[in-house]
Amino acid sequence: SERQRVELLLSAYEGFPTAKSFLDVCPDPAEVLRDIATDPHSKDHIRLGALSAMALFPDEKTWELYLVEWDRASVASPAPGAAHHVLQGLALGFGPRAVPVLIKGLGHADAQVRMTAAFALGTVGTDDARGAILEQADRETDAVVAKYLRQQVP
C-alpha cells in the first residue's frame, strides 16, 4: 500500500527522504504523512519522522496539523520529541509565517525545546525571529541555554 511504502522510507537509516522520494512511491504523500503522524498506533520513530517530513509538503492542512500537534506538545508531549519535530517542521515548511508559533516555543518549560525553538527561529532568520531569540537569551535562567540561544543569531 502507499502507506507502507511511505513508512518504509521513514524507517530508513541512511538519510532522510526527499520530497521526490516520497512522490516516487505515492501520488499524495502529504495526506499519507498526516495520516501516519496522527495515528496513535504508529511507531514513535515513524510518527515523528512523518511530522518532520510533512514540512516537505507545506499546505493548509499541514499547517493546521502542526498547530494541533504544537498545542499537544506544549502541554504534555504524546510522544518523546514531538515538540522538536513540530518546531523544525514549522520553520522549514512555513518560514516567516511560523515565527509567532516558534516564539511560543522559546517559553517552553523544557530547555531542549527552547533550544530547538531558537534553532528553528534562527533558520527562519527574520528580524522578528532574531529579536525574539535575543530577548529570550536575556531572560533565560539556564546559562548553557542562554549561550546556545545567542549562538543562533548570526
Side-chain angles (χ1 to χ4, degrees):
S1 74
E2 290 176 353
R3 180 180 170 130
Q4 289 171 322
R5 291 190 297 269
V6 169
E7 288 176 336
L8 186 61
L9 284 174
L10 292 169
S11 67
Y13 290 103
E14 62 275 351
F16 197 75
T18 63
K20 182 184 180 324
S21 62
F22 284 113
L23 289 165
D24 285 346
V25 300
C26 177
D28 187 8
E31 192 61 38
V32 174
L33 289 165
R34 286 190 293 266
D35 287 345
I36 294 168
T38 57
D39 182 352
H41 302 292
S42 292
K43 294 178 182 173
D44 277 350
H45 72 286
I46 299 294
R47 180 178 181 282
L48 296 176
L51 280 172
S52 292
M54 288 173 11
L56 298 171
F57 307 98
D59 61 16
E60 286 306 305
K61 289 181 181 179
T62 294
W63 172 257
E64 292 298 324
L65 181 55
Y66 273 144
L67 295 182
V68 168
E69 290 295 320
W70 170 249
D71 285 343
R72 274 192 215 150
S74 63
V75 176
S77 182
H84 303 281
H85 291 269
V86 169
L87 291 169
Q88 291 170 354
L90 282 166
L92 294 173
F94 296 94
R97 180 180 180 191
V99 167
V101 180
L102 300 175
I103 289 172
K104 291 178 184 179
L106 293 173
H108 198 279
D110 185 293
Q112 291 292 324
V113 173
R114 293 195 303 276
M115 292 167 66
T116 298
F119 178 82
L121 284 162
T123 299
V124 173
T126 62
D127 290 342
D128 289 351
R130 287 189 294 273
I133 294 169
L134 292 173
E135 286 177 23
Q136 178 61 32
D138 290 342
R139 286 192 304 266
E140 183 60 54
T141 57
D142 183 315
V144 172
V145 174
K147 180 179 178 181
Y148 180 85
L149 296 180
R150 287 188 181 88
Q151 291 171 343
Q152 303 314 303
V153 180

